[in-house]
Amino acid sequence: MANLKDLKGRIASVKKTQKITSAMKMVAAAKLRRAQEGAENARPYAERMFRMLTSIATSVGDTEGAPKMLSGTGGNRQMLVVCTSDRGLCGGFNGSIIREVRARLREMRRNSTDFKIITVSSKGHDLLRREFGDNIVAKFTDIGRRGVKFEEATEVADKIADLFEADEFDVCTIYFNKFQSAISQIVTPQQLIPFSVEDAEQKTDGPRAVFIFEPDEEEILEDLLPRNVATQVFQALLESSASEHGARMTAMDNATRNAGDMIDNLTMTYNRTRQAVITKELIEIISGAEAL
């Protein structure tokens, strides 16, 4: 049985931890509101970009003049962009996405498929480095520390485009947690290169207008496709940021509640131990008095 001094010290320690987790929960809640607004406001723009590209890409089809980002290269070398967080204490946010990415990478390794990895934020890099360190070709950190900026997404998109132009891969897919609510984030893979008309058609509903383009479709696509990559990366980073803050808020709320339960249990144990000590001392005093 622990003595009273140890129990008292442990109760004080858990109370300090509870104050920290409660403060982190409030900070995460404040950041979540801003991040959620950013993610929701960016969704219509990304969807409209999909519609526009779908309309143009459908008219171009598989013609010889189609850009490589639309027609593809015909190969199967994979590039995976993994969006995680730079900090921990966010529940299963990082673990869920890393589990799915590892399963995909191991499957490609079994099938002898060539693949490369770009990690966005340090946790993904640290978790994948031991098993797939030789396949990591780029690492981005501190993205979204003060809110996700489009310039940061452009930096990631430019790296992807440079590697594609250098013929380093054929297909690029970004993995991120899509924000549903503070307690629900969905691991989402989205193909960036080549642009998938089938996926875009599934994401767009309703009739599409017919446009006459000037200049021609191929020239427009040459400019729009790299912008689309930056837009989709930006959307993924916004969704990932909102998911991270939601997961952290939920994790810190659970930690605060658990700390409260632990304090109650320790306080009860402390009171029982203290009562047992008092009772023992009384018995010793009474026994000594009777012996005299």
Side-chain angles (χ1 to χ4, degrees), residues 157-266:
D158 288 344
K159 182 64 176 179
I160 295 172
D162 290 343
L163 291 173
F164 183 67
E165 291 297 326
D167 197 30
E168 294 290 332
F169 66 90
D170 302 304
V171 180
C172 179
T173 305
I174 188 169
Y175 279 79
F176 63 96
N177 278 301
K178 185 174 182 179
F179 179 80
Q180 292 290 110
S181 67
I183 60 174
S184 176
Q185 301 87 35
I186 301 175
V187 178
T188 305
Q190 181 174 325
Q191 183 171 305
L192 299 177
I193 300 175
F195 179 76
S196 176
V197 177
E198 291 78 9
D199 291 345
E201 288 177 342
Q202 292 175 4
K203 295 182 181 181
T204 55
D205 299 323
R208 292 192 294 269
V210 177
F211 298 96
I212 298 175
F213 298 99
E214 179 66 32
D216 59 18
E217 290 90 336
E218 290 82 358
E219 188 172 347
I220 295 175
L221 285 173
E222 286 285 357
D223 182 67
L224 279 185
L225 286 170
R227 292 192 186 188
N228 175 65
V229 173
T231 300
Q232 302 310 321
V233 170
F234 182 53
Q235 178 67 31
L237 293 178
L238 288 172
E239 297 281 353
S240 182
S241 177
S243 297
E244 178 188 350
H245 295 312
R248 181 169 289 111
M249 186 187 74
T250 302
M252 291 301 100
D253 180 57
N254 292 335
T256 302
R257 293 174 185 272
N258 292 338
D261 294 339
M262 186 177 293
I263 290 170
D264 293 340
N265 293 333
L266 288 172

Side-chain angles (χ1 to χ4, degrees), residues 60-88:
V60 171
D62 297 328
T63 60
E64 294 182 359
K68 285 200 306 180
M69 283 192 176
L70 174 63
S71 60
T73 59
N76 194 35
R77 295 170 299 170
Q78 300 287 326
M79 172 67 75
L80 272 66
V81 183
V82 184
C83 298
T84 54
S85 67
D86 283 306
R87 298 185 299 159

Side-chain angles (χ1 to χ4, degrees), residues 40-66:
E40 291 176 347
N41 291 338
R43 285 174 184 171
Y45 182 82
E47 292 173 359
R48 190 61 62 89
M49 175 71 82
F50 258 113
R51 284 188 181 182
M52 183 185 301
L53 282 174
T54 302
S55 177
I56 303 174
T58 302
S59 63
V60 171
D62 297 328
T63 60
E64 294 182 359

